[in-house]
Amino acid sequence: TPDLHSYTVIKLYFNMKESISQEALVHVGIWCLGEFGDHLVSGRAVGPDDQPIQVRPTELLDLLQDVVKKPPTSDRASSTHILVAAALIKLVTRCPSESERIRKMLRKFECSLNLDLQQRSCEFLELLEAEWDSSRAGILDRMPVPDGEIASAESRAVGDRTIDEVPTSSAPRPAAAPAKGGADNLLDLSDLLDDGPPTQTG
């Protein structure tokens, strides 16, 4: 539901600022920060007191750094770090002023003992090279929503919101591009950007 993107990412950001002890909440929060971090740092969001909500890009990255530094409470720490790496590369286009810091944070994952995290961080760092300048924004665009999810979201009541976003223009928003695939596409937070197992040839 696009109308809830700003509200959701702001609520998750401040909940995570308060506590990063709930792993499931942190995983959802990290993903949303990567996808919708531009809503958080735009300065257009207005709180219940009609005052703008100001979050600097450095504060957003500080939070992700705190998540990485947190001692693991389970054997799934690597899945948290994989989500952080994916959020970081998305934030390159949402918070361009922090691209150098994002590069440094990703470089720390290059030496991870987890091969999946190591490979992803190397691939993400490659995307930061100059040869990808012209296509990077398209590659790191928001994840498309499956058609079935759009239909079910339109039929749900949005409910009351205490955070609104000041529109940048009065022009109607373009319709979201339909996603490829059927309505059975599910978002697997533990497997972001993975194309699945390689197919055997021969």
Side-chain angles (χ1 to χ4, degrees), residues 5-6 9 31-41 94 142:
H5 290 172
S6 180
V9 73
W31 186 87
C32 287
L33 290 176
E35 288 292 306
F36 309 116
D38 50 323
H39 289 278
L40 189 62
V41 301
R94 280 87 165 139
R142 299 195 206 285

Side-chain angles (χ1 to χ4, degrees), residues 25-153:
L25 176 69
V26 167
H27 282 190
V28 173
I30 293 168
W31 186 87
C32 287
L33 290 176
E35 288 292 306
F36 309 116
D38 50 323
H39 289 278
L40 189 62
V41 301
S42 68
R44 295 195 304 269
V46 178
D49 56 356
D50 291 329
Q51 294 298 313
I53 296 172
Q54 300 286 350
V55 176
R56 297 190 306 274
T58 53
E59 294 175 298
L60 197 164
L61 292 183
D62 286 345
L63 177 59
L64 291 177
Q65 200 153 36
D66 289 343
V67 170
V68 172
K69 288 180 180 177
K70 181 180 180 289
T73 55
S74 72
D75 56 358
R76 298 186 60 195
S78 58
S79 63
T80 302
H81 291 179
I82 287 170
L83 284 168
V84 170
L88 286 171
I89 193 63
K90 289 269 187 167
L91 288 171
V92 166
T93 57
R94 280 87 165 139
C95 307
S97 62
E98 296 299 313
S99 59
E100 194 52 42
R101 183 178 177 188
I102 289 171
R103 187 190 300 270
K104 289 178 182 176
M105 291 174 71
L106 285 171
R107 287 207 184 283
K108 292 183 179 178
F109 292 138
E110 275 189 307
C111 304
S112 172
L113 295 177
N114 182 284
L115 293 180
D116 190 13
L117 176 58
Q118 187 183 118
Q119 179 182 341
R120 288 174 194 239
S121 60
C122 289
E123 292 170 354
F124 294 159
L125 283 164
E126 177 64 25
L127 272 178
L128 297 180
E129 297 299 323
E131 64 190 275
W132 294 95
D133 286 351
S134 60
S135 53
R136 187 181 301 117
I139 294 171
L140 301 177
D141 200 6
R142 299 195 206 285
M143 188 174 289
V145 182
D147 293 337
E149 291 295 321
I150 295 173
S152 64

Side-chain angles (χ1 to χ4, degrees), residues 165-188:
E165 186 163 314
V166 179
T168 53
S169 75
S170 57
R173 293 180 186 170
K180 294 181 180 178
D184 58 341
N185 293 338
L186 295 177
L187 174 62
D188 183 356

